[in-house]
């Protein structure tokens, strides 16, 4: 551990004082950064460069491999959501996922041959059914049977992801506007509609590093309160900051902040500190009804990860524990953030009507 790394407060020590001004300052800085595109510094190829990227060393293969789902899940299975890993994936199944079009095997694809109109209506003459399967392989029956079996093991409902990502960019393809899947066909719709999943399969998430064997993960479904998701930042084996992920003000969080911070410090000391990388980020869910903390995902220490209510510069240079940061009252999140959950690999069900009935069974 480096000499200038921050010391973690003891699990039983008083939590750092939370101030709304810290969050407001961070939000203002993030908004300023987002509005500086026109004046951004460019490199020799004309690409915009953010100075904060210089704070990060290039990711190593081990740092990335440690965050692959199948790498960390066995060691944290008792403190996370029950999951089923399907690996290796049949080559024909991967070929199907990477084929053009959003469709389920055996169904026709709809193809558009006209020009998209911004206004007005279409009589449908520019649309047609396609019987041309091209290079599409539709016989993935063995994978279909395996997915169906694994969903049943998870209680009949699951949500899918791959090595690095969940298809959070594809909820539009779901009939329920969530990532809940009850059948293999539900899984296929989401995976086929997701650009994030395609990037995983093509090794475009970390292109400078060696590719890893793709995997399909099915995780036990539960409706979650997005307000209870927190991102933790670890540098040089020390927890240096905790941030609310949901970009909304919740009064009850301010009232619970000391208790939440202490729980997450204890969780780090007892569990998350065993993660093999020295610097990393991880998301947790604080289950209020059962008084548990559950790890949701791990990410490498990288500028591509959302720093939430912190600035990466302060996370990379602080010499002290920054405490828990909550979204402040009176700030319009739409004025500073867009597509907040697009970078999150764990889907958050925004309408949590069934939360209290489901949370107790999440990791059974």
């Amino acid at each position: 551990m480096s000499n200038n790394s921050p010391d973690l407060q003891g699990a039983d020590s008083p939590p750092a004082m939370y101030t709304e001004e810290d969050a407001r300052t961070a939000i203002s800085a993030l908004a300023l950064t987002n509005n500086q595109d026109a004046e951004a510094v460019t490199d020799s190829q004309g690409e915009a460069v953010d100075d904060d990227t210089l704070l990060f060393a290039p990711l190593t293969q081990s740092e990335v491999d440690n965050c692959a789902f199948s790498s960390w899940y066995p060691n944290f299975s008792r403190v996370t959501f029950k999951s089923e890993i399907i690996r290796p994936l049949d080559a024909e199944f991967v070929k199907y996922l990477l084929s053009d079009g959003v469709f389920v095997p055996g169904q026709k694809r709809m193809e558009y041959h006209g020009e998209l109109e911004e206004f007005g209506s279409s009589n449908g003459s520019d649309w047609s059914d396609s019987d041309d399967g091209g290079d599409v392989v539709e016989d993935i029956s063995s994978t279909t049977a395996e997915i169906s079996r694994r969903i049943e093991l998870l209680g009949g409902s699951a949500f899918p992801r791959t090595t690095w990502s969940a298809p959070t960019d594809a909820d539009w393809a779901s009939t329920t506007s969530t990532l809940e899947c009850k059948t293999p066909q539900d899984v296929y719709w989401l995976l086929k509609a997701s650009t994030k999943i395609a990037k995983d399969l093509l090794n475009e998430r970390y292109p400078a590093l060696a590719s890893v064997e793709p995997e399909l993960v099915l995780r036990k479904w539960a409706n979650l309160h997005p307000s209870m998701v927190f991102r933790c930042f670890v540098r040089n084996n020390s927890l240096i900051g905790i941030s609310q992920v949901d970009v909304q003000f919740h009064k009850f969080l301010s009232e619970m902040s000391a208790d939440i911070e202490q729980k997450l410090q204890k969780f780090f000391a007892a569990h998350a500190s065993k993660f093999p990388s020295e610097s990393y980020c991880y998301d947790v869910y604080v289950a209020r009804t059962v008084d548990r903390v559950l790890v949701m995902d791990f990410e490498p220490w990288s500028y591509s990860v959302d720093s939430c209510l912190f600035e990466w510069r302060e996370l990379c240079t602080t010499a002290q524990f920054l405490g828990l940061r909550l979204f402040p009252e009176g700030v319009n999140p739409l004025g500073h953030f867009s597509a907040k959950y697009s970078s999150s690999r764990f889907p958050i069900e925004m309408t949590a009507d069934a939360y209290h009935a489901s949370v107790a069974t999440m990791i059974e």
Side-chain angles (χ1 to χ4, degrees), residues 240-293:
I240 58 172
I242 305 166
S243 175
Q244 175 186 339
V245 172
D246 184 30
V247 287
Q248 296 186 66
F249 170 72
H250 299 280
K251 183 178 180 180
F252 73 91
L253 285 182
S254 298
E255 299 168 351
M256 298 171 56
S257 61
D259 181 55
I260 291 173
E261 183 174 320
Q262 189 171 66
K263 284 182 179 179
L264 296 186
Q265 285 186 305
K266 289 182 177 179
F267 184 84
F268 172 75
H271 302 288
S273 60
K274 297 178 174 60
F275 191 73
S277 298
E278 291 187 358
S279 299
Y280 53 95
C281 313
Y282 64 97
D283 289 352
V284 292
Y285 184 76
V286 179
R288 297 170 64 188
T289 56
V290 292
D291 196 29
R292 295 196 65 177
V293 176

Side-chain angles (χ1 to χ4, degrees), residues 23-24 26-28 30-32 34-35 244-250 306 308-309 326-341 350:
R24 292 179 185 275
I27 291 172
S28 297
L30 290 170
L32 180 62
N34 292 336
N35 292 328
Q244 175 186 339
V245 172
D246 184 30
V247 287
Q248 296 186 66
F249 170 72
H250 299 280
D306 188 350
C308 297
L309 296 178
L326 302 177
F327 199 85
E329 185 175 10
V331 174
N332 177 14
L334 296 180
H336 302 285
F337 301 92
S338 62
K340 181 67 176 180
Y341 293 103
M350 299 302 291

Side-chain angles (χ1 to χ4, degrees), residues 32-295:
L32 180 62
T33 299
N34 292 336
N35 292 328
Q36 285 180 334
D37 292 340
E39 303 176 1
V41 179
T42 59
D43 60 17
S44 58
Q45 282 74 43
E47 297 292 330
V49 176
D50 192 318
D51 288 342
D52 283 358
T53 62
L54 303 177
L55 298 169
F56 297 84
L59 289 174
T60 66
Q61 189 70 51
S62 62
E63 287 174 326
V64 171
D65 290 347
N66 290 342
C67 294
F69 186 86
S70 58
S71 294
W72 65 260
Y73 178 73
N75 294 327
F76 292 89
S77 60
R78 295 178 62 87
V79 289
T80 190
F81 302 83
K82 183 179 179 182
S83 303
E84 293 287 329
I85 302 172
I86 301 177
R87 182 183 182 187
L89 295 180
D90 187 87
E92 298 296 283
F93 177 62
V94 176
K95 185 177 181 181
Y96 155 68
L97 292 179
L98 293 175
S99 62
D100 292 337
V102 180
F103 63 99
V104 171
Q107 296 183 352
K108 293 181 178 181
R109 286 175 287 173
M110 295 298 293
E111 295 184 351
Y112 185 73
H113 305 290
E115 295 183 359
L116 294 176
E117 297 180 2
E118 184 174 1
F119 302 102
S121 60
S122 171
N123 60 10
S125 61
D126 291 326
W127 292 89
S128 68
D129 291 340
S130 174
D131 290 313
D132 179 14
D135 60 354
V136 176
V137 177
E138 299 195 7
D139 184 12
I140 55 173
S141 56
S142 61
T143 301
T144 299
E146 186 62 17
I147 292 175
S148 181
R149 186 179 74 86
R150 301 297 186 98
I151 291 177
E152 287 303 311
L153 291 176
L154 294 172
S157 294
F159 68 87
R161 58 164 289 166
T162 49
T163 310
W164 314 111
S165 306
T168 51
D169 57 337
D171 56 358
W172 59 268
S174 168
T175 57
T176 62
S177 297
T178 73
L179 300 192
E180 181 181 15
C181 296
K182 294 180 179 294
T183 68
Q185 289 71 30
D186 294 338
V187 173
Y188 297 157
W189 276 119
L190 291 174
L191 298 183
K192 286 288 290 176
S194 174
T195 299
K196 295 168 70 175
I197 297 301
K199 288 183 176 181
D200 264 21
L201 298 175
L202 293 170
N203 196 44
E204 293 181 358
R205 185 175 174 88
Y206 304 107
L209 301 174
S211 60
V212 298
E213 182 182 34
E215 60 196 23
L216 174 62
V217 180
L218 298 173
R219 309 207 71 185
K220 189 177 182 69
W221 173 261
N223 288 302
L224 305 179
H225 276 310
S227 60
M228 300 307 293
V229 179
F230 300 91
R231 181 156 297 169
C232 302
F233 300 89
V234 178
R235 196 182 89 221
N236 295 330
N237 295 312
S238 293
L239 180 64
I240 58 172
I242 305 166
S243 175
Q244 175 186 339
V245 172
D246 184 30
V247 287
Q248 296 186 66
F249 170 72
H250 299 280
K251 183 178 180 180
F252 73 91
L253 285 182
S254 298
E255 299 168 351
M256 298 171 56
S257 61
D259 181 55
I260 291 173
E261 183 174 320
Q262 189 171 66
K263 284 182 179 179
L264 296 186
Q265 285 186 305
K266 289 182 177 179
F267 184 84
F268 172 75
H271 302 288
S273 60
K274 297 178 174 60
F275 191 73
S277 298
E278 291 187 358
S279 299
Y280 53 95
C281 313
Y282 64 97
D283 289 352
V284 292
Y285 184 76
V286 179
R288 297 170 64 188
T289 56
V290 292
D291 196 29
R292 295 196 65 177
V293 176
L294 303 172
V295 66

